[in-house]
Amino acid sequence: MIKIKELKNEKEWKEAFPVMKQLRTHLSIEQFIELVHESTEKESYKIVALYDNDKIVAVTGFMPMITLYNGRFIWVCDLVTDSDHRSKGYGEALLNYVHNWAKENGYDIVSLSSGLQRIDAHRFYEHKMKYDKVSYVFLKKV
């Protein structure tokens, strides 16, 4: 049975970590928990899991933002499906959850970035989910 649920406490976040670690390989469990705590409190970050038979198989993290470019919108920070469970529609289900959350909360844009090397993910976003490729994201460590 498939279930999608927002994770609201440290116990649930820890259960999601093995899947999130597949995307955010640089994070330890301690760093992950600390960042989720801070981002949920300060940035209204939401972390949502898709369960298949009571096991977390996909996770997304998103938050409302305001910029002059997009106005009020939702930024998808993280989206990952466990490597043993890909191509089963879980990523699509989670993005649709985000789209519905956005509409229900007065947002009409959902935006995300994806690493240059993630060609399969780009195909998924553009072809399956009908996202437009509108920019590059640049990063400089200072």
Side-chain angles (χ1 to χ4, degrees), residues 109-131:
I109 294 174
V110 175
S111 188
L112 57 85
S113 70
S114 180
L116 294 172
Q117 75 284 7
R118 300 189 66 226
I119 303 301
D120 290 338
H122 303 167
R123 221 178 351 263
F124 167 72
Y125 296 130
E126 290 182 88
H127 301 294
K128 180 89 173 173
M129 300 307 297
K130 305 298 185 212
Y131 277 67

mmCIF file with all atom_site columns, all heavy atoms in Angstrom, residues 109-131:
data_model
loop_
_atom_site.group_PDB
_atom_site.id
_atom_site.type_symbol
_atom_site.label_atom_id
_atom_site.label_alt_id
_atom_site.label_comp_id
_atom_site.label_asym_id
_atom_site.label_entity_id
_atom_site.label_seq_id
_atom_site.pdbx_PDB_ins_code
_atom_site.Cartn_x
_atom_site.Cartn_y
_atom_site.Cartn_z
_atom_site.occupancy
_atom_site.B_iso_or_equiv
_atom_site.pdbx_formal_charge
_atom_site.auth_seq_id
_atom_site.auth_comp_id
_atom_site.auth_asym_id
_atom_site.auth_atom_id
_atom_site.pdbx_PDB_model_num
ATOM 1   N N   . ILE A 1 109 ? 3.646  28.467 -8.767  1.00 0.00 ? 109 ILE A N   1
ATOM 2   C CA  . ILE A 1 109 ? 4.902  28.057 -9.408  1.00 0.00 ? 109 ILE A CA  1
ATOM 3   C C   . ILE A 1 109 ? 5.619  27.077 -8.487  1.00 0.00 ? 109 ILE A C   1
ATOM 4   O O   . ILE A 1 109 ? 5.701  27.287 -7.277  1.00 0.00 ? 109 ILE A O   1
ATOM 5   C CB  . ILE A 1 109 ? 5.831  29.265 -9.676  1.00 0.00 ? 109 ILE A CB  1
ATOM 6   C CG1 . ILE A 1 109 ? 5.214  30.214 -10.712 1.00 0.00 ? 109 ILE A CG1 1
ATOM 7   C CG2 . ILE A 1 109 ? 7.218  28.811 -10.132 1.00 0.00 ? 109 ILE A CG2 1
ATOM 8   C CD1 . ILE A 1 109 ? 6.003  31.498 -10.905 1.00 0.00 ? 109 ILE A CD1 1
ATOM 9   N N   . VAL A 1 110 ? 6.141  26.006 -9.088  1.00 0.00 ? 110 VAL A N   1
ATOM 10  C CA  . VAL A 1 110 ? 7.043  25.078 -8.401  1.00 0.00 ? 110 VAL A CA  1
ATOM 11  C C   . VAL A 1 110 ? 8.319  25.059 -9.220  1.00 0.00 ? 110 VAL A C   1
ATOM 12  O O   . VAL A 1 110 ? 8.285  24.901 -10.441 1.00 0.00 ? 110 VAL A O   1
ATOM 13  C CB  . VAL A 1 110 ? 6.441  23.657 -8.280  1.00 0.00 ? 110 VAL A CB  1
ATOM 14  C CG1 . VAL A 1 110 ? 7.457  22.693 -7.683  1.00 0.00 ? 110 VAL A CG1 1
ATOM 15  C CG2 . VAL A 1 110 ? 5.163  23.687 -7.442  1.00 0.00 ? 110 VAL A CG2 1
ATOM 16  N N   . SER A 1 111 ? 9.457  25.232 -8.548  1.00 0.00 ? 111 SER A N   1
ATOM 17  C CA  . SER A 1 111 ? 10.743 25.319 -9.227  1.00 0.00 ? 111 SER A CA  1
ATOM 18  C C   . SER A 1 111 ? 11.748 24.404 -8.534  1.00 0.00 ? 111 SER A C   1
ATOM 19  O O   . SER A 1 111 ? 11.597 24.084 -7.353  1.00 0.00 ? 111 SER A O   1
ATOM 20  C CB  . SER A 1 111 ? 11.223 26.773 -9.189  1.00 0.00 ? 111 SER A CB  1
ATOM 21  O OG  . SER A 1 111 ? 12.357 26.962 -9.984  1.00 0.00 ? 111 SER A OG  1
ATOM 22  N N   . LEU A 1 112 ? 12.773 23.999 -9.275  1.00 0.00 ? 112 LEU A N   1
ATOM 23  C CA  . LEU A 1 112 ? 13.828 23.145 -8.716  1.00 0.00 ? 112 LEU A CA  1
ATOM 24  C C   . LEU A 1 112 ? 15.077 23.266 -9.551  1.00 0.00 ? 112 LEU A C   1
ATOM 25  O O   . LEU A 1 112 ? 15.047 23.799 -10.658 1.00 0.00 ? 112 LEU A O   1
ATOM 26  C CB  . LEU A 1 112 ? 13.360 21.680 -8.650  1.00 0.00 ? 112 LEU A CB  1
ATOM 27  C CG  . LEU A 1 112 ? 12.901 21.018 -9.954  1.00 0.00 ? 112 LEU A CG  1
ATOM 28  C CD1 . LEU A 1 112 ? 14.056 20.434 -10.754 1.00 0.00 ? 112 LEU A CD1 1
ATOM 29  C CD2 . LEU A 1 112 ? 11.899 19.922 -9.637  1.00 0.00 ? 112 LEU A CD2 1
ATOM 30  N N   . SER A 1 113 ? 16.174 22.777 -9.015  1.00 0.00 ? 113 SER A N   1
ATOM 31  C CA  . SER A 1 113 ? 17.396 22.659 -9.811  1.00 0.00 ? 113 SER A CA  1
ATOM 32  C C   . SER A 1 113 ? 17.828 21.205 -9.770  1.00 0.00 ? 113 SER A C   1
ATOM 33  O O   . SER A 1 113 ? 17.419 20.443 -8.893  1.00 0.00 ? 113 SER A O   1
ATOM 34  C CB  . SER A 1 113 ? 18.510 23.574 -9.284  1.00 0.00 ? 113 SER A CB  1
ATOM 35  O OG  . SER A 1 113 ? 18.998 23.109 -8.048  1.00 0.00 ? 113 SER A OG  1
ATOM 36  N N   . SER A 1 114 ? 18.656 20.839 -10.737 1.00 0.00 ? 114 SER A N   1
ATOM 37  C CA  . SER A 1 114 ? 19.118 19.454 -10.832 1.00 0.00 ? 114 SER A CA  1
ATOM 38  C C   . SER A 1 114 ? 20.550 19.455 -11.340 1.00 0.00 ? 114 SER A C   1
ATOM 39  O O   . SER A 1 114 ? 20.872 20.199 -12.277 1.00 0.00 ? 114 SER A O   1
ATOM 40  C CB  . SER A 1 114 ? 18.203 18.683 -11.796 1.00 0.00 ? 114 SER A CB  1
ATOM 41  O OG  . SER A 1 114 ? 18.608 17.345 -11.915 1.00 0.00 ? 114 SER A OG  1
ATOM 42  N N   . GLY A 1 115 ? 21.395 18.647 -10.721 1.00 0.00 ? 115 GLY A N   1
ATOM 43  C CA  . GLY A 1 115 ? 22.801 18.589 -11.102 1.00 0.00 ? 115 GLY A CA  1
ATOM 44  C C   . GLY A 1 115 ? 22.995 18.286 -12.581 1.00 0.00 ? 115 GLY A C   1
ATOM 45  O O   . GLY A 1 115 ? 22.239 17.512 -13.173 1.00 0.00 ? 115 GLY A O   1
ATOM 46  N N   . LEU A 1 116 ? 24.008 18.891 -13.180 1.00 0.00 ? 116 LEU A N   1
ATOM 47  C CA  . LEU A 1 116 ? 24.264 18.736 -14.611 1.00 0.00 ? 116 LEU A CA  1
ATOM 48  C C   . LEU A 1 116 ? 24.419 17.276 -15.036 1.00 0.00 ? 116 LEU A C   1
ATOM 49  O O   . LEU A 1 116 ? 24.058 16.899 -16.144 1.00 0.00 ? 116 LEU A O   1
ATOM 50  C CB  . LEU A 1 116 ? 25.513 19.527 -15.015 1.00 0.00 ? 116 LEU A CB  1
ATOM 51  C CG  . LEU A 1 116 ? 25.400 21.045 -14.900 1.00 0.00 ? 116 LEU A CG  1
ATOM 52  C CD1 . LEU A 1 116 ? 26.760 21.689 -15.140 1.00 0.00 ? 116 LEU A CD1 1
ATOM 53  C CD2 . LEU A 1 116 ? 24.362 21.575 -15.866 1.00 0.00 ? 116 LEU A CD2 1
ATOM 54  N N   . GLN A 1 117 ? 24.946 16.448 -14.146 1.00 0.00 ? 117 GLN A N   1
ATOM 55  C CA  . GLN A 1 117 ? 25.212 15.055 -14.472 1.00 0.00 ? 117 GLN A CA  1
ATOM 56  C C   . GLN A 1 117 ? 23.959 14.186 -14.434 1.00 0.00 ? 117 GLN A C   1
ATOM 57  O O   . GLN A 1 117 ? 23.979 13.043 -14.885 1.00 0.00 ? 117 GLN A O   1
ATOM 58  C CB  . GLN A 1 117 ? 26.280 14.486 -13.513 1.00 0.00 ? 117 GLN A CB  1
ATOM 59  C CG  . GLN A 1 117 ? 25.777 14.185 -12.099 1.00 0.00 ? 117 GLN A CG  1
ATOM 60  C CD  . GLN A 1 117 ? 25.581 15.386 -11.182 1.00 0.00 ? 117 GLN A CD  1
ATOM 61  O OE1 . GLN A 1 117 ? 25.690 16.531 -11.600 1.00 0.00 ? 117 GLN A OE1 1
ATOM 62  N NE2 . GLN A 1 117 ? 25.258 15.133 -9.925  1.00 0.00 ? 117 GLN A NE2 1
ATOM 63  N N   . ARG A 1 118 ? 22.844 14.698 -13.945 1.00 0.00 ? 118 ARG A N   1
ATOM 64  C CA  . ARG A 1 118 ? 21.641 13.886 -13.725 1.00 0.00 ? 118 ARG A CA  1
ATOM 65  C C   . ARG A 1 118 ? 20.726 13.879 -14.948 1.00 0.00 ? 118 ARG A C   1
ATOM 66  O O   . ARG A 1 118 ? 19.577 14.317 -14.914 1.00 0.00 ? 118 ARG A O   1
ATOM 67  C CB  . ARG A 1 118 ? 20.916 14.389 -12.475 1.00 0.00 ? 118 ARG A CB  1
ATOM 68  C CG  . ARG A 1 118 ? 21.836 14.291 -11.237 1.00 0.00 ? 118 ARG A CG  1
ATOM 69  C CD  . ARG A 1 118 ? 21.153 14.546 -9.938  1.00 0.00 ? 118 ARG A CD  1
ATOM 70  N NE  . ARG A 1 118 ? 20.190 13.483 -9.685  1.00 0.00 ? 118 ARG A NE  1
ATOM 71  C CZ  . ARG A 1 118 ? 18.948 13.697 -9.281  1.00 0.00 ? 118 ARG A CZ  1
ATOM 72  N NH1 . ARG A 1 118 ? 18.499 14.905 -9.096  1.00 0.00 ? 118 ARG A NH1 1
ATOM 73  N NH2 . ARG A 1 118 ? 18.143 12.684 -9.070  1.00 0.00 ? 118 ARG A NH2 1
ATOM 74  N N   . ILE A 1 119 ? 21.222 13.349 -16.039 1.00 0.00 ? 119 ILE A N   1
ATOM 75  C CA  . ILE A 1 119 ? 20.521 13.363 -17.328 1.00 0.00 ? 119 ILE A CA  1
ATOM 76  C C   . ILE A 1 119 ? 19.157 12.677 -17.236 1.00 0.00 ? 119 ILE A C   1
ATOM 77  O O   . ILE A 1 119 ? 18.167 13.179 -17.775 1.00 0.00 ? 119 ILE A O   1
ATOM 78  C CB  . ILE A 1 119 ? 21.389 12.692 -18.416 1.00 0.00 ? 119 ILE A CB  1
ATOM 79  C CG1 . ILE A 1 119 ? 22.758 13.381 -18.521 1.00 0.00 ? 119 ILE A CG1 1
ATOM 80  C CG2 . ILE A 1 119 ? 20.670 12.669 -19.758 1.00 0.00 ? 119 ILE A CG2 1
ATOM 81  C CD1 . ILE A 1 119 ? 22.731 14.837 -18.847 1.00 0.00 ? 119 ILE A CD1 1
ATOM 82  N N   . ASP A 1 120 ? 19.086 11.533 -16.560 1.00 0.00 ? 120 ASP A N   1
ATOM 83  C CA  . ASP A 1 120 ? 17.805 10.830 -16.430 1.00 0.00 ? 120 ASP A CA  1
ATOM 84  C C   . ASP A 1 120 ? 16.795 11.686 -15.662 1.00 0.00 ? 120 ASP A C   1
ATOM 85  O O   . ASP A 1 120 ? 15.606 11.715 -16.014 1.00 0.00 ? 120 ASP A O   1
ATOM 86  C CB  . ASP A 1 120 ? 17.978 9.476  -15.734 1.00 0.00 ? 120 ASP A CB  1
ATOM 87  C CG  . ASP A 1 120 ? 18.718 8.476  -16.595 1.00 0.00 ? 120 ASP A CG  1
ATOM 88  O OD1 . ASP A 1 120 ? 18.740 8.647  -17.835 1.00 0.00 ? 120 ASP A OD1 1
ATOM 89  O OD2 . ASP A 1 120 ? 19.271 7.509  -16.028 1.00 0.00 ? 120 ASP A OD2 1
ATOM 90  N N   . ALA A 1 121 ? 17.261 12.376 -14.626 1.00 0.00 ? 121 ALA A N   1
ATOM 91  C CA  . ALA A 1 121 ? 16.370 13.251 -13.866 1.00 0.00 ? 121 ALA A CA  1
ATOM 92  C C   . ALA A 1 121 ? 15.863 14.396 -14.735 1.00 0.00 ? 121 ALA A C   1
ATOM 93  O O   . ALA A 1 121 ? 14.682 14.747 -14.683 1.00 0.00 ? 121 ALA A O   1
ATOM 94  C CB  . ALA A 1 121 ? 17.089 13.800 -12.634 1.00 0.00 ? 121 ALA A CB  1
ATOM 95  N N   . HIS A 1 122 ? 16.735 14.947 -15.577 1.00 0.00 ? 122 HIS A N   1
ATOM 96  C CA  . HIS A 1 122 ? 16.323 16.052 -16.458 1.00 0.00 ? 122 HIS A CA  1
ATOM 97  C C   . HIS A 1 122 ? 15.234 15.582 -17.416 1.00 0.00 ? 122 HIS A C   1
ATOM 98  O O   . HIS A 1 122 ? 14.250 16.298 -17.641 1.00 0.00 ? 122 HIS A O   1
ATOM 99  C CB  . HIS A 1 122 ? 17.516 16.584 -17.256 1.00 0.00 ? 122 HIS A CB  1
ATOM 100 C CG  . HIS A 1 122 ? 18.638 17.049 -16.389 1.00 0.00 ? 122 HIS A CG  1
ATOM 101 N ND1 . HIS A 1 122 ? 19.890 17.306 -16.895 1.00 0.00 ? 122 HIS A ND1 1
ATOM 102 C CD2 . HIS A 1 122 ? 18.713 17.290 -15.054 1.00 0.00 ? 122 HIS A CD2 1
ATOM 103 C CE1 . HIS A 1 122 ? 20.688 17.687 -15.908 1.00 0.00 ? 122 HIS A CE1 1
ATOM 104 N NE2 . HIS A 1 122 ? 19.994 17.683 -14.787 1.00 0.00 ? 122 HIS A NE2 1
ATOM 105 N N   . ARG A 1 123 ? 15.408 14.395 -17.966 1.00 0.00 ? 123 ARG A N   1
ATOM 106 C CA  . ARG A 1 123 ? 14.405 13.820 -18.870 1.00 0.00 ? 123 ARG A CA  1
ATOM 107 C C   . ARG A 1 123 ? 13.064 13.680 -18.129 1.00 0.00 ? 123 ARG A C   1
ATOM 108 O O   . ARG A 1 123 ? 12.002 14.005 -18.655 1.00 0.00 ? 123 ARG A O   1
ATOM 109 C CB  . ARG A 1 123 ? 14.894 12.458 -19.374 1.00 0.00 ? 123 ARG A CB  1
ATOM 110 C CG  . ARG A 1 123 ? 14.629 12.225 -20.810 1.00 0.00 ? 123 ARG A CG  1
ATOM 111 C CD  . ARG A 1 123 ? 15.150 10.902 -21.381 1.00 0.00 ? 123 ARG A CD  1
ATOM 112 N NE  . ARG A 1 123 ? 16.013 10.075 -20.573 1.00 0.00 ? 123 ARG A NE  1
ATOM 113 C CZ  . ARG A 1 123 ? 17.339 10.061 -20.655 1.00 0.00 ? 123 ARG A CZ  1
ATOM 114 N NH1 . ARG A 1 123 ? 17.969 10.846 -21.501 1.00 0.00 ? 123 ARG A NH1 1
ATOM 115 N NH2 . ARG A 1 123 ? 18.043 9.257  -19.888 1.00 0.00 ? 123 ARG A NH2 1
ATOM 116 N N   . PHE A 1 124 ? 13.134 13.185 -16.892 1.00 0.00 ? 124 PHE A N   1
ATOM 117 C CA  . PHE A 1 124 ? 11.939 13.023 -16.067 1.00 0.00 ? 124 PHE A CA  1
ATOM 118 C C   . PHE A 1 124 ? 11.242 14.370 -15.843 1.00 0.00 ? 124 PHE A C   1
ATOM 119 O O   . PHE A 1 124 ? 10.032 14.494 -16.044 1.00 0.00 ? 124 PHE A O   1
ATOM 120 C CB  . PHE A 1 124 ? 12.341 12.382 -14.728 1.00 0.00 ? 124 PHE A CB  1
ATOM 121 C CG  . PHE A 1 124 ? 11.280 12.426 -13.666 1.00 0.00 ? 124 PHE A CG  1
ATOM 122 C CD1 . PHE A 1 124 ? 10.158 11.616 -13.758 1.00 0.00 ? 124 PHE A CD1 1
ATOM 123 C CD2 . PHE A 1 124 ? 11.414 13.257 -12.564 1.00 0.00 ? 124 PHE A CD2 1
ATOM 124 C CE1 . PHE A 1 124 ? 9.176  11.655 -12.770 1.00 0.00 ? 124 PHE A CE1 1
ATOM 125 C CE2 . PHE A 1 124 ? 10.448 13.292 -11.579 1.00 0.00 ? 124 PHE A CE2 1
ATOM 126 C CZ  . PHE A 1 124 ? 9.322  12.492 -11.684 1.00 0.00 ? 124 PHE A CZ  1
ATOM 127 N N   . TYR A 1 125 ? 12.009 15.393 -15.434 1.00 0.00 ? 125 TYR A N   1
ATOM 128 C CA  . TYR A 1 125 ? 11.404 16.693 -15.157 1.00 0.00 ? 125 TYR A CA  1
ATOM 129 C C   . TYR A 1 125 ? 10.802 17.323 -16.412 1.00 0.00 ? 125 TYR A C   1
ATOM 130 O O   . TYR A 1 125 ? 9.682  17.835 -16.383 1.00 0.00 ? 125 TYR A O   1
ATOM 131 C CB  . TYR A 1 125 ? 12.422 17.668 -14.541 1.00 0.00 ? 125 TYR A CB  1
ATOM 132 C CG  . TYR A 1 125 ? 12.946 17.238 -13.198 1.00 0.00 ? 125 TYR A CG  1
ATOM 133 C CD1 . TYR A 1 125 ? 14.311 17.213 -12.926 1.00 0.00 ? 125 TYR A CD1 1
ATOM 134 C CD2 . TYR A 1 125 ? 12.082 16.845 -12.179 1.00 0.00 ? 125 TYR A CD2 1
ATOM 135 C CE1 . TYR A 1 125 ? 14.795 16.817 -11.692 1.00 0.00 ? 125 TYR A CE1 1
ATOM 136 C CE2 . TYR A 1 125 ? 12.552 16.443 -10.942 1.00 0.00 ? 125 TYR A CE2 1
ATOM 137 C CZ  . TYR A 1 125 ? 13.909 16.430 -10.708 1.00 0.00 ? 125 TYR A CZ  1
ATOM 138 O OH  . TYR A 1 125 ? 14.380 16.033 -9.488  1.00 0.00 ? 125 TYR A OH  1
ATOM 139 N N   . GLU A 1 126 ? 11.540 17.270 -17.514 1.00 0.00 ? 126 GLU A N   1
ATOM 140 C CA  . GLU A 1 126 ? 11.087 17.940 -18.733 1.00 0.00 ? 126 GLU A CA  1
ATOM 141 C C   . GLU A 1 126 ? 9.986  17.171 -19.459 1.00 0.00 ? 126 GLU A C   1
ATOM 142 O O   . GLU A 1 126 ? 8.976  17.762 -19.853 1.00 0.00 ? 126 GLU A O   1
ATOM 143 C CB  . GLU A 1 126 ? 12.262 18.159 -19.686 1.00 0.00 ? 126 GLU A CB  1
ATOM 144 C CG  . GLU A 1 126 ? 13.240 19.207 -19.191 1.00 0.00 ? 126 GLU A CG  1
ATOM 145 C CD  . GLU A 1 126 ? 14.363 19.446 -20.166 1.00 0.00 ? 126 GLU A CD  1
ATOM 146 O OE1 . GLU A 1 126 ? 14.179 20.306 -21.055 1.00 0.00 ? 126 GLU A OE1 1
ATOM 147 O OE2 . GLU A 1 126 ? 15.402 18.759 -20.066 1.00 0.00 ? 126 GLU A OE2 1
ATOM 148 N N   . HIS A 1 127 ? 10.173 15.886 -19.643 1.00 0.00 ? 127 HIS A N   1
ATOM 149 C CA  . HIS A 1 127 ? 9.240  15.122 -20.479 1.00 0.00 ? 127 HIS A CA  1
ATOM 150 C C   . HIS A 1 127 ? 8.057  14.570 -19.693 1.00 0.00 ? 127 HIS A C   1
ATOM 151 O O   . HIS A 1 127 ? 6.909  14.726 -20.105 1.00 0.00 ? 127 HIS A O   1
ATOM 152 C CB  . HIS A 1 127 ? 9.973  13.997 -21.210 1.00 0.00 ? 127 HIS A CB  1
ATOM 153 C CG  . HIS A 1 127 ? 11.074 14.500 -22.092 1.00 0.00 ? 127 HIS A CG  1
ATOM 154 N ND1 . HIS A 1 127 ? 10.840 15.272 -23.204 1.00 0.00 ? 127 HIS A ND1 1
ATOM 155 C CD2 . HIS A 1 127 ? 12.413 14.377 -22.000 1.00 0.00 ? 127 HIS A CD2 1
ATOM 156 C CE1 . HIS A 1 127 ? 11.990 15.594 -23.772 1.00 0.00 ? 127 HIS A CE1 1
ATOM 157 N NE2 . HIS A 1 127 ? 12.969 15.071 -23.054 1.00 0.00 ? 127 HIS A NE2 1
ATOM 158 N N   . LYS A 1 128 ? 8.328  13.951 -18.574 1.00 0.00 ? 128 LYS A N   1
ATOM 159 C CA  . LYS A 1 128 ? 7.262  13.325 -17.782 1.00 0.00 ? 128 LYS A CA  1
ATOM 160 C C   . LYS A 1 128 ? 6.473  14.369 -16.985 1.00 0.00 ? 128 LYS A C   1
ATOM 161 O O   . LYS A 1 128 ? 5.244  14.342 -16.954 1.00 0.00 ? 128 LYS A O   1
ATOM 162 C CB  . LYS A 1 128 ? 7.869  12.279 -16.843 1.00 0.00 ? 128 LYS A CB  1
ATOM 163 C CG  . LYS A 1 128 ? 6.898  11.564 -15.963 1.00 0.00 ? 128 LYS A CG  1
ATOM 164 C CD  . LYS A 1 128 ? 6.358  10.354 -16.645 1.00 0.00 ? 128 LYS A CD  1
ATOM 165 C CE  . LYS A 1 128 ? 5.512  9.549  -15.680 1.00 0.00 ? 128 LYS A CE  1
ATOM 166 N NZ  . LYS A 1 128 ? 4.855  8.474  -16.333 1.00 0.00 ? 128 LYS A NZ  1
ATOM 167 N N   . MET A 1 129 ? 7.187  15.279 -16.317 1.00 0.00 ? 129 MET A N   1
ATOM 168 C CA  . MET A 1 129 ? 6.530  16.219 -15.409 1.00 0.00 ? 129 MET A CA  1
ATOM 169 C C   . MET A 1 129 ? 6.253  17.585 -16.047 1.00 0.00 ? 129 MET A C   1
ATOM 170 O O   . MET A 1 129 ? 5.660  18.448 -15.427 1.00 0.00 ? 129 MET A O   1
ATOM 171 C CB  . MET A 1 129 ? 7.365  16.386 -14.134 1.00 0.00 ? 129 MET A CB  1
ATOM 172 C CG  . MET A 1 129 ? 7.575  15.087 -13.351 1.00 0.00 ? 129 MET A CG  1
ATOM 173 S SD  . MET A 1 129 ? 6.060  14.177 -12.949 1.00 0.00 ? 129 MET A SD  1
ATOM 174 C CE  . MET A 1 129 ? 5.211  15.343 -11.897 1.00 0.00 ? 129 MET A CE  1
ATOM 175 N N   . LYS A 1 130 ? 6.722  17.798 -17.278 1.00 0.00 ? 130 LYS A N   1
ATOM 176 C CA  . LYS A 1 130 ? 6.433  19.020 -18.051 1.00 0.00 ? 130 LYS A CA  1
ATOM 177 C C   . LYS A 1 130 ? 7.000  20.302 -17.430 1.00 0.00 ? 130 LYS A C   1
ATOM 178 O O   . LYS A 1 130 ? 6.400  21.372 -17.514 1.00 0.00 ? 130 LYS A O   1
ATOM 179 C CB  . LYS A 1 130 ? 4.925  19.184 -18.293 1.00 0.00 ? 130 LYS A CB  1
ATOM 180 C CG  . LYS A 1 130 ? 4.270  17.987 -18.945 1.00 0.00 ? 130 LYS A CG  1
ATOM 181 C CD  . LYS A 1 130 ? 4.836  17.728 -20.318 1.00 0.00 ? 130 LYS A CD  1
ATOM 182 C CE  . LYS A 1 130 ? 4.082  16.588 -21.003 1.00 0.00 ? 130 LYS A CE  1
ATOM 183 N NZ  . LYS A 1 130 ? 4.919  15.821 -21.891 1.00 0.00 ? 130 LYS A NZ  1
ATOM 184 N N   . TYR A 1 131 ? 8.159  20.196 -16.793 1.00 0.00 ? 131 TYR A N   1
ATOM 185 C CA  . TYR A 1 131 ? 8.864  21.383 -16.306 1.00 0.00 ? 131 TYR A CA  1
ATOM 186 C C   . TYR A 1 131 ? 9.601  22.024 -17.480 1.00 0.00 ? 131 TYR A C   1
ATOM 187 O O   . TYR A 1 131 ? 10.066 21.323 -18.386 1.00 0.00 ? 131 TYR A O   1
ATOM 188 C CB  . TYR A 1 131 ? 9.890  21.006 -15.231 1.00 0.00 ? 131 TYR A CB  1
ATOM 189 C CG  . TYR A 1 131 ? 9.317  20.850 -13.844 1.00 0.00 ? 131 TYR A CG  1
ATOM 190 C CD1 . TYR A 1 131 ? 8.433  19.826 -13.537 1.00 0.00 ? 131 TYR A CD1 1
ATOM 191 C CD2 . TYR A 1 131 ? 9.676  21.732 -12.829 1.00 0.00 ? 131 TYR A CD2 1
ATOM 192 C CE1 . TYR A 1 131 ? 7.914  19.691 -12.267 1.00 0.00 ? 131 TYR A CE1 1
ATOM 193 C CE2 . TYR A 1 131 ? 9.156  21.608 -11.548 1.00 0.00 ? 131 TYR A CE2 1
ATOM 194 C CZ  . TYR A 1 131 ? 8.283  20.578 -11.277 1.00 0.00 ? 131 TYR A CZ  1
ATOM 195 O OH  . TYR A 1 131 ? 7.765  20.449 -10.014 1.00 0.00 ? 131 TYR A OH  1
#
